[in-house]
Amino acid sequence: MNILRWLGIGTSKVEEVGKTLPAPQFMHGEEEDKSDAPSACFANRELSWLKFNTRVLEEAEDPGNPFCERLSFASIFQSNLDEFFMVRVGSLYDQMLLSPSIRENKTHMTCEEQIKVICKRCETLAQRKDKLMKELSEELPSHGIRICHYKDLDEDEKRFLAAYFTNDVLPLLTPQIIGKKQPFPFLRSKHIYAVLLLQRKSSLKLGIIECTSDILPRMVAMPGSHGRFMLMEEIILHFVPKIYDKWKVKSRTLLRMIRNADIDPDEDLYDESQGDFRAIMEQLVKNRKKLSPIRLTCSAQADEAILTYMKKYLGLKRMQIFRSLSPLDLSYLGTIRDLLRDKKDLFYPPYTPKIPADFDQTASILSQIREKDRFLFYPYDSMRPFLSMLNEAAIDPDVVSLKITLYRVTKNSLVLEPLIRASESGKDVTVLVELRARFDEENDIEWSRRLEEAGCRVLYGLDHLKVHSKLCLITKHNKDGIFYYTQVGTGNYNEKTATLYTDFALMTADQEIGREASEVFQKLCLGQTVKDMHHLMVAPHCMRTYILDKLDHQIVLAKEGRPAYFGGKMNSLTDKKIINRLIQASRAGVKIELLVRGACCLVSGIQGWTDNITISSIVGRYLEHSRIYIFGADEAEQEIYISSADLMTRNMVRRVEVGIPLYDEDIRKRVQGIFRTLLSDNVKRRIQKSDGTYVYVPHEHPAINAQEIFQRH
């Protein structure tokens, strides 16, 4: 949708959008790529993503995981689902309003059809989540923690709670009664509200109190007995008759709403007359908080009369309302984890990332890279060698420039400190800060200011293209001429996620790669993208084409009766052109092994079509984020790339992405070993069946947990 018109930022009314844009045949960002493959070969992206989140829920359900890690997976499941509705379902609603007839390009479902199935699936997931939370809550007392309801309290605790509510809670609440002089309030996304049906004589009114507060604790400790708590929203809900003492409280419930957060900038952002890009992004971030409601969750006992009022005021349909037996916001599980931190057996064994043996932290990192390509495998390897490289470059008198693309940095980033120091010492520092990293915009905006103040040249990306690449270039200039050091990664320059996500970082002094990286940055500075590369694969112009060409080569080999192979590891597989080529390759006899953590729109094992394809997914302690693409059956001759890009249409055609070949033999063998180990996992790996469902790989002995193996080695 034309977001700026919708929000009224300096343009005409939203009603005009439908008049100015023709209704597309397929959904925004998708391309039709005709295929004669049966529909059974394809899966809907959104429903496939829900299967991924189901795998997260299964980790919370798994008694083989430490108890506090199960709490984490339960919380991640909910936060994933929140973001899914805020972004993906929000986008479906926008597109449905704009062009109801458009269809997605794999299963050809309309937006409305997708939303209906999504809501039905989420009802089932909600029931599983409630069952899980009941089990976890029943186990909590054995670990010294109990979340109480008012009926569980003894008389002393009830007296304490009454006094606590009157003295500490009530003064901070702002109760409302909806009427002519108090219109329906703005409800904030992800906040919990107590909603009441009030009666006085023949008059019925709605009362609303916000329960989410930065001042009040979410968990209130009961006096006299360690480990007994009550949730703040339950306390407020119990004592609301004290607030509305002139009314009869006919019914009461707790509600939590999710708002649409789909603010992908559109063409108006690139209109010079609209002003500074950063200022527009700041305005969009503010306005995101005001977008339309997309999902409402209520307590299981919620009165239908209250829900009828809420549907009317919020403009929701019944299918967008979900009931929950468990607390509406599971973020309090993090507090419980903190309370149990001293019980080591309830957590994964602690792990500290190591500095690889081939790095000498007492010697020049740049000199070591010049001797031989260097490789980091997060979170098993420490990020320190990369930080040392930046710090060394910042003070090296021969280094004349540092260039880097940034996407989602931490609030106290150690990556940016050497960039600022280098700029302040007179070096040329160019930083492309992608301000459109969803939900990290405010942090990235603040860092862009600090970098500018330090004298760095700051770019904000390209018109209509997100810069998602993980590319860093250090340039030296001395009596011997110009010399490049290049780093390409699969994950963000983020110290926090480098301890939570599996990612790769390659550092090389290959001068041909350095020259290509320099060309990428030159084009970015001009607001352009490279058209062709010899070594690097760079989206949007020469990544998908290269991948398709390499798959075509494997198809030719297979048709000649020679061994042919493609192996891929990625977060998501959704690009229709690549999916169709994989199907063609399977039919030709190419062996294909895919590790797809999240959404996968290809279905394996369809007789005569995808029966040469196996698709696996690993959900474990660390988020599998690295991307690997392997072409060729002979390990000695394989072409191996690591990349910032998933095989998704948005990565192939709407983002600047970079993939780099692995030329160093030791690094190639290491990545091949990583890939084979992941495919050998028989503990956390699930395999996709021909009906699109995922099942655990049959447990065999010895047990192989790939992530644990990587920790040990």
Side-chain angles (χ1 to χ4, degrees):
M1 173 171 281
N2 189 314
I3 296 294
L4 288 176
R5 292 197 182 101
W6 189 17
L7 297 176
I9 304 176
T11 61
S12 55
K13 296 182 293 184
V14 65
E15 288 82 3
E16 296 178 2
V17 176
K19 299 176 183 177
T20 58
L21 295 176
Q25 184 180 0
F26 294 97
M27 291 173 60
H28 174 68
E30 292 188 340
E31 303 165 300
E32 174 62 343
D33 189 65
K34 292 184 178 180
S35 169
D36 57 355
S39 60
C41 293
F42 303 98
N44 175 268
R45 170 179 169 173
E46 318 307 344
L47 301 182
S48 177
W49 184 92
L50 284 177
K51 290 178 183 177
F52 155 67
N53 209 31
T54 302
R55 299 193 286 276
V56 175
L57 183 62
E58 288 172 352
E59 291 299 312
E61 294 169 335
D62 185 355
N65 287 324
F67 179 73
C68 283
E69 306 301 346
R70 295 176 67 192
L71 298 182
S72 285
F73 280 115
S75 183
I76 292 168
F77 166 80
Q78 186 200 45
S79 61
N80 280 350
L81 200 59
D82 284 348
E83 185 170 331
F84 175 69
F85 270 85
M86 293 164 70
V87 178
R88 297 302 309 169
V89 181
S91 176
L92 287 175
Y93 268 98
D94 288 347
Q95 295 189 60
M96 181 179 69
L97 294 172
L98 184 64
S99 299
S101 62
I102 61 175
R103 298 178 179 273
E104 55 90 27
N105 68 350
K106 298 170 190 74
T107 57
H108 299 283
M109 297 171 69
T110 66
C111 296
E112 185 175 10
E113 289 169 345
Q114 293 179 77
I115 292 168
K116 286 180 178 179
V117 180
I118 287 168
C119 290
K120 186 175 181 180
R121 296 275 176 91
C122 287
E123 282 282 5
T124 303
L125 288 176
Q127 293 169 11
R128 283 183 62 174
K129 183 259 297 180
D130 285 342
K131 181 182 177 184
L132 165 71
M133 289 304 300
K134 184 175 184 293
E135 293 173 0
L136 295 176
S137 297
E138 289 173 350
E139 189 174 340
L140 269 176
S142 66
H143 304 300
I145 302 290
R146 184 185 297 273
I147 302 299
C148 304
H149 299 288
Y150 190 80
K151 62 182 176 58
D152 302 322
L153 306 181
D154 61 31
E155 292 305 314
D156 287 341
E157 289 172 330
K158 289 178 180 178
R159 282 192 291 271
F160 159 78
L161 212 55
Y164 175 74
F165 177 80
T166 300
N167 299 324
D168 296 281
V169 179
L170 184 57
L172 299 175
L173 300 180
T174 306
Q176 288 183 264
I177 298 176
I178 308 307
K180 291 181 179 179
K181 294 186 178 180
Q182 289 197 52
F184 192 85
F186 176 81
L187 304 186
R188 291 189 279 183
S189 188
K190 298 196 284 187
H191 283 218
I192 297 174
Y193 293 84
V195 182
L196 310 96
L197 190 61
L198 305 171
Q199 183 178 32
R200 187 164 61 187
K201 297 181 181 179
S202 61
S203 176
L204 283 176
K205 296 281 189 180
L206 204 65
I208 297 180
I209 302 174
E210 184 172 357
C211 301
T212 303
S213 170
D214 294 331
I215 303 172
L216 295 170
R218 177 80 188 284
M219 291 170 54
V220 178
M222 296 296 103
S225 56
H226 177 70
R228 286 168 62 82
F229 299 88
M230 194 166 171
L231 296 179
M232 177 58 68
E233 63 265 26
E234 296 284 348
I235 296 172
I236 294 173
L237 191 67
H238 176 78
F239 286 108
V240 287
K242 281 191 172 186
I243 301 173
Y244 296 95
D245 55 346
K246 304 296 184 183
W247 295 78
K248 177 184 178 181
V249 179
K250 290 201 62 168
S251 65
R252 49 188 139 166
T253 189
L254 296 172
L255 299 175
R256 180 175 183 265
M257 184 191 63
I258 298 296
R259 288 185 178 275
N260 187 345
D262 182 36
I263 63 161
D264 270 351
D266 69 356
E267 66 276 4
D268 285 356
L269 278 182
Y270 315 112
D271 182 350
E272 297 293 339
S273 66
Q274 295 296 328
D276 179 71
F277 183 86
R278 185 169 64 193
I280 294 173
M281 282 301 304
E282 288 180 299
Q283 185 62 43
L284 281 173
V285 171
K286 290 178 182 178
N287 282 329
R288 176 164 61 200
K289 299 172 184 177
K290 305 174 185 177
L291 298 187
S292 58
I294 208 75
R295 183 175 190 259
L296 185 71
T297 307
C298 62
S299 303
Q301 74 279 9
D303 191 307
E304 279 296 331
I306 289 179
L307 298 185
T308 299
Y309 272 109
M310 298 306 293
K311 283 195 297 180
K312 171 188 172 184
Y313 285 120
L314 298 176
L316 294 172
K317 296 181 179 179
R318 188 63 186 84
M319 67 178 180
Q320 295 171 269
I321 299 177
F322 299 83
R323 293 179 183 269
S324 177
L325 290 167
S326 50
L328 305 186
D329 181 359
L330 300 186
S331 60
Y332 75 97
L333 297 178
T335 303
I336 293 177
R337 280 170 51 91
D338 292 340
L339 292 170
L340 297 174
R341 191 65 64 178
D342 60 330
K343 300 188 176 185
K344 304 299 183 184
D345 59 314
L346 301 184
F347 295 85
Y348 290 128
Y351 178 79
T352 302
K354 308 297 191 295
I355 296 176
D358 61 343
F359 279 95
D360 182 355
Q361 284 292 99
T362 66
S364 164
I365 296 294
L366 293 177
S367 295
Q368 293 175 64
I369 296 170
R370 190 161 187 165
E371 292 171 1
K372 186 179 188 296
D373 288 357
R374 305 288 165 160
F375 186 79
L376 295 173
F377 182 17
Y378 307 137
Y380 314 105
D381 295 340
S382 170
M383 197 179 188
R384 282 173 57 192
F386 171 71
L387 295 173
S388 296
M389 181 189 78
L390 291 180
N391 282 300
E392 181 183 337
I395 60 174
D396 188 326
D398 288 341
V399 170
V400 293
S401 73
L402 291 90
K403 297 180 173 68
I404 193 169
T405 59
L406 296 181
Y407 191 94
R408 301 190 194 281
V409 293
T410 59
K411 288 188 176 180
N412 301 304
S413 176
L414 297 176
V415 172
L416 300 191
E417 289 180 6
L419 302 178
I420 290 173
R421 191 160 59 250
S423 180
E424 289 176 341
S425 68
K427 299 185 189 301
D428 177 20
V429 179
T430 300
V431 185
L432 193 148
V433 182
E434 181 50 77
L435 299 184
R436 293 162 292 184
R438 187 179 278 115
F439 305 122
D440 278 332
E441 297 98 341
E442 291 175 276
N443 181 54
D444 291 347
I445 286 168
E446 180 57 33
W447 268 116
S448 73
R449 284 200 182 94
R450 293 180 61 180
L451 290 164
E452 281 185 346
E453 290 169 0
C456 300
R457 181 186 296 111
V458 177
L459 310 175
Y460 298 133
L462 306 182
D463 292 1
H464 309 287
L465 295 174
K466 276 188 182 181
V467 179
H468 188 251
S469 56
K470 326 301 178 187
L471 181 64
C472 177
L473 180 68
I474 296 168
T475 305
K476 274 192 173 188
H477 185 218
N478 54 29
K479 61 183 177 60
D480 297 322
I482 292 175
F483 199 87
Y484 297 112
Y485 299 85
T486 309
Q487 186 271 344
V488 176
T490 67
N492 300 316
Y493 298 111
N494 185 307
E495 303 93 299
K496 182 179 179 180
T497 57
T499 65
L500 301 173
Y501 297 2
T502 73
D503 271 308
F504 301 137
L506 178 71
M507 294 174 278
T508 180
D510 185 308
Q511 293 307 285
E512 291 187 24
I513 286 176
R515 280 188 283 273
E516 290 192 355
S518 178
E519 185 179 348
V520 171
F521 276 111
Q522 287 175 2
K523 293 295 186 182
L524 290 175
C525 288
L526 295 172
Q528 302 169 6
T529 54
V530 296
K531 300 296 183 183
D532 190 38
M533 294 269 111
H534 180 66
H535 298 278
L536 299 178
M537 294 195 300
V538 184
H541 297 298
C542 52
M543 180 172 283
R544 182 162 66 180
T545 301
Y546 282 19
I547 291 171
L548 294 175
D549 287 347
K550 293 178 187 301
L551 287 174
D552 285 342
H553 178 61
Q554 296 304 310
I555 291 172
V556 169
L557 293 176
K559 288 181 176 179
E560 293 174 350
R562 299 160 65 186
Y565 177 81
F566 172 67
K569 179 181 183 296
M570 65 216 74
N571 294 281
S572 298
L573 170 61
T574 67
D575 186 75
K576 185 74 177 292
K577 288 182 181 293
I578 292 176
I579 289 172
N580 281 338
R581 200 62 54 89
L582 290 172
I583 294 172
Q584 292 174 26
S586 172
R587 298 191 75 191
V590 179
K591 181 181 179 181
I592 298 171
E593 295 179 306
L594 303 177
L595 283 160
V596 187
R597 188 199 79 227
C600 180
C601 296
L602 174 64
V603 179
S604 60
I606 305 300
Q607 189 66 34
W609 294 90
T610 61
D611 37 356
N612 284 318
I613 300 174
T614 58
I615 298 175
S616 302
S617 176
I618 292 178
V619 177
R621 173 175 182 172
Y622 302 117
L623 184 140
E624 288 292 338
H625 191 257
S626 55
R627 290 93 165 186
I628 309 171
Y629 302 116
I630 302 172
F631 304 90
D634 184 347
E635 288 195 355
E637 302 294 330
Q638 284 177 336
E639 293 183 84
I640 306 174
Y641 290 79
I642 63 171
S643 173
S644 60
D646 293 312
L647 300 186
M648 305 176 72
T649 303
R650 72 182 187 190
N651 297 92
M652 296 294 106
V653 302
R654 299 202 308 280
R655 291 187 173 186
V656 177
E657 306 274 10
V658 174
I660 188 170
L662 303 182
Y663 293 143
D664 181 271
E665 192 58 33
D666 292 334
I667 294 174
R668 285 167 51 81
K669 288 180 178 178
R670 186 178 182 192
V671 171
Q672 287 168 334
I674 290 169
F675 191 69
R676 302 316 307 177
T677 301
L678 290 166
L679 286 174
S680 301
D681 190 307
N682 58 19
V683 177
K684 292 299 182 183
R685 184 167 65 96
R686 297 165 179 84
I687 192 164
Q688 187 198 66
K689 297 172 66 177
S690 59
D691 62 358
T693 60
Y694 287 78
V695 296
Y696 280 105
V697 172
H699 283 259
E700 299 174 357
H701 296 286
I704 300 173
N705 184 321
Q707 294 188 349
E708 290 182 357
I709 290 173
F710 297 143
Q711 283 185 333
R712 291 197 298 270
H713 299 287

